[in-house]
Amino acid sequence: MNFLDYIESRRADNLNELKDFLRIPSVSTKSEHKPDIENASRWVADRLRDAGFPQVEIIPTKMHPLVYGESLQSPGKPTVLFYGHYDVQPPEPLNLWTSPAFEPTERGGNLYGRGTADDKGQVHIHLKALAALKHAEGKLPLNVKVIVEGEEEVGSVNLWDFVTNNKDRLKADALVVSDTSMLARGVPSITYGLRGLNYYQVEITGAAQDLHSGVFGGAVPNPITILAETIAKLHDKNFRVTVPGFYDDVAKLSAKERKALNSLPWKESEFRNTVGAPGLCGEKGFTTVERLWTRPTLELNGIWGGYTGEGSKTVIPAKAFAKISSRLVPNQKPEKIAKQVERQIRALLPKTVHCKFDVLSMGKPWVAPYSHPIFQKAIHALEKGFGKKAVFIREGGSIPFVTQMHDTFKVPCVLMGFGLPDENAHAPDEHISLENYFGGIKAVAVFYSSLAQA
Ligand code: BES
Ligand code: MN
Ligand code: MN
């Protein structure tokens, strides 16, 4: 049986197997899920063995293990490195899920559950494509190295150590990743740019302890008011970030790229529907697509302090906190931006409070040309799986490993994503379209198979 017929014959088995994977609550940010993380890493290792990988290792790191597999049984054929992640974001708020986050459920042509789109479902697409090639041809027709890590959702903190210590071992002719989205349903897409991400936490302290607001209110600094005022000053009325120097290194989009990105079959009305807000906003002078993919941002992710429980409490809190991040674009430098943001926040604060500023993580943006012949093979494969020619897009999200790999090995990185923009990644009711899941397995198998044909 050829591999495409085999894939077709395995539809039900593949989907059931994916559901097993999704039932493991491999939330990387919470220590209570450590056993689930270990369990998920073993699960991936077993599936690599099923796909005929003679070498499979679970490699411990300072935090969560990564799974590494190698099948080098096709001398003279190209070598690809596939990267994905088995960890997921926390499922909270639980009450907003229609079916429980870790009980995968089919509904309306989609599979619902945490990790369906980001990224377990997409990793499984590759595992099953490889298993089909191995089954149909007796062995994998090209050389494949696989990294599936467990720390992507917390910034891939320890992965880089592994890469730098195993540079020779990880050498490949191309990197292949499925951890992104299609532009829209029915529009297979290859992503050639991602934004970088810097993440900061700010702690503002006023009084030495919480104070009675009647006894002290009006005569002492309130850190929540001061933090709110400071944060409000970080953007101007045109939605530009006011941090001095923030835009200095931002690369100007060429007229050609600007035209290409704005002519994609992307519908603002669909985007509005997905967002669901009464209106959109953003940096003056740029289209929504440009704002999302090519412009840097400064975002407030969370702000807290004082009393937030039931009823009322009259208090001047001693502390206020905020989690702030910046998405970065070429050629911004993460270290430089972090310093600029810290300097500006400190400059805006009055002398009546202290400020602790922590940089939790930093990551560079990535944009690369797509002229290498491998991209023609990717287009062809996606056409086989989805019946349509692929488009080249940039995206606003971040995948630290892609930037690191591209910097280190300078190899082409093929990002073929099978998610959709409205699939609620990181949110309640995350799902993957079954059409994309099944089409993805075919496309990826055709892609790997075509790479073997020189
Ligand atoms: N798969 C996403 C990245 C992504 C999302 C790329 C959408 C393109 C489109 C990844 O799992 C993710 O969520 N990354 C984090 C960064 C990380 C450092 C926590 C992100 O982008 O917030
Ligand atoms: Mn992901
Ligand atoms: Mn994610």
Side-chain angles (χ1 to χ4, degrees):
M1 204 190 297
N2 75 37
F3 68 83
L4 287 173
D5 291 338
Y6 181 74
I7 289 170
E8 198 52 38
S9 77
R10 300 284 303 175
R11 275 173 79 98
D13 304 82
N14 285 346
L15 190 58
N16 280 329
E17 192 184 273
L18 171 58
K19 289 179 185 171
D20 287 337
F21 191 18
L22 294 166
R23 281 191 196 97
I24 309 171
S26 47
V27 179
S28 49
T29 199
K30 292 205 181 150
S31 46
E32 71 201 66
H33 285 291
K34 188 72 190 165
D36 304 309
I37 283 278
E38 306 276 341
N39 195 359
S41 70
R42 283 192 297 271
W43 195 95
V44 172
D46 288 342
R47 296 297 81 72
L48 284 171
R49 290 187 193 102
D50 294 349
F53 280 72
Q55 281 265 45
V56 179
E57 284 173 59
I58 297 178
I59 297 168
T61 74
K62 281 189 207 131
M63 203 189 332
H64 300 322
L66 63 95
V67 186
Y68 181 72
E70 233 175 45
S71 170
L72 307 176
Q73 297 161 297
S74 295
K77 298 290 185 183
T79 303
V80 295
L81 175 64
F82 168 72
Y83 163 84
H85 62 97
Y86 67 77
D87 66 321
V88 298
Q89 289 271 331
E92 287 80 9
L94 297 179
N95 61 319
L96 295 184
W97 286 81
T98 308
S99 49
F102 296 108
E103 290 174 28
T105 306
E106 285 172 61
R107 229 171 21 246
N110 297 314
L111 181 65
Y112 286 79
R114 175 57 86 232
T116 43
D118 185 11
D119 180 35
K120 285 164 149 180
Q122 300 206 53
V123 166
H124 199 247
I125 285 174
H126 285 257
L127 293 172
K128 291 303 102 180
L130 291 166
L133 289 174
K134 144 88 182 164
H135 179 89
E137 308 189 9
K139 69 172 173 89
L140 287 177
L142 76 171
N143 301 305
V144 186
K145 301 175 178 180
V146 171
I147 295 178
V148 183
E149 69 151 322
E151 293 184 5
E152 197 278 341
E153 298 293 7
V154 288
S156 299
V157 228
N158 296 299
L159 181 59
W160 194 234
D161 264 359
F162 172 73
V163 176
T164 36
N165 294 332
N166 291 276
K167 273 195 186 159
D168 285 331
R169 198 169 182 202
L170 296 179
K171 268 213 178 88
D173 300 303
L175 174 69
V176 178
V177 179
S178 290
D179 192 22
T180 50
S181 298
M182 292 187 181
L183 184 66
R185 187 178 289 279
V187 186
S189 311
I190 299 170
T191 299
Y192 70 92
L194 295 166
R195 289 193 288 191
L197 177 71
N198 273 6
Y199 210 106
Y200 326 106
Q201 181 157 329
V202 180
E203 179 182 326
I204 307 295
T205 310
Q209 69 283 309
D210 284 7
L211 301 170
H212 189 296
S213 70
V215 180
F216 294 92
V220 299
N222 185 319
I224 299 183
T225 312
I226 288 166
L227 178 60
E229 277 172 0
T230 303
I231 284 167
K233 287 178 189 148
L234 294 175
H235 288 91
D236 68 15
K237 62 177 193 318
N238 292 325
F239 291 95
R240 277 181 66 90
V241 177
T242 55
V243 172
F246 190 77
Y247 294 98
D248 282 1
D249 298 329
V250 172
K252 200 170 178 281
L253 215 56
S254 73
K256 189 174 160 214
E257 187 176 12
R258 197 169 195 181
K259 185 158 176 252
L261 293 181
N262 285 306
S263 335
L264 285 166
W266 181 91
K267 291 201 191 70
E268 181 119 356
S269 58
E270 270 178 35
F271 180 78
R272 276 172 195 276
N273 277 339
T274 305
V275 173
L280 301 178
C281 60
E283 192 185 351
K284 198 175 168 185
F286 297 91
T287 65
T288 303
V289 160
E290 289 164 4
R291 288 170 182 167
L292 293 171
W293 299 348
T294 75
R295 300 298 297 170
T297 65
L298 190 124
E299 305 285 351
L300 200 58
N301 298 265
I303 177 164
W304 72 102
Y307 184 71
T308 56
E310 193 180 346
S312 59
K313 178 188 183 192
T314 47
V315 62
I316 309 284
K319 287 182 188 290
F321 303 82
K323 288 189 187 279
I324 303 174
S325 59
S326 340
R327 295 282 167 179
L328 307 179
V329 300
N331 300 311
Q332 288 179 301
K333 314 222 171 11
E335 290 79 9
K336 188 169 164 188
I337 296 291
K339 288 214 177 73
Q340 289 171 345
V341 171
E342 173 170 7
R343 198 177 305 132
Q344 178 64 358
I345 289 177
R346 289 195 186 281
L348 289 170
L349 287 169
K351 294 214 163 44
T352 50
V353 292
H354 296 294
C355 169
K356 188 163 164 283
F357 185 96
D358 286 315
V359 179
L360 303 188
S361 66
M362 289 190 281
K364 286 163 76 175
W366 168 77
V367 176
Y370 45 86
S371 48
H372 191 282
I374 194 171
F375 289 100
Q376 289 309 315
K377 297 200 169 190
I379 291 176
H380 167 81
L382 287 165
E383 197 164 354
K384 282 274 177 194
F386 294 90
K388 274 226 179 113
K389 209 167 152 74
V391 295
F392 284 89
I393 64 172
R394 284 167 66 165
E395 284 187 279
S398 312
I399 309 174
F401 183 73
V402 172
T403 317
Q404 294 168 342
M405 282 303 293
H406 194 244
D407 280 0
T408 311
F409 294 101
K410 313 263 182 293
V411 290
C413 302
V414 184
L415 274 60
M416 33 168 86
F418 301 107
L420 290 173
D422 63 354
E423 285 180 337
N424 298 341
H426 295 199
D429 279 350
E430 178 182 349
H431 56 281
I432 190 166
S433 136
L434 290 172
E435 180 193 326
N436 282 11
Y437 170 70
F438 291 120
I441 299 176
K442 286 190 184 164
V444 167
V446 171
F447 179 57
Y448 285 140
S449 161
S450 73
L451 294 182
Q453 287 145 29

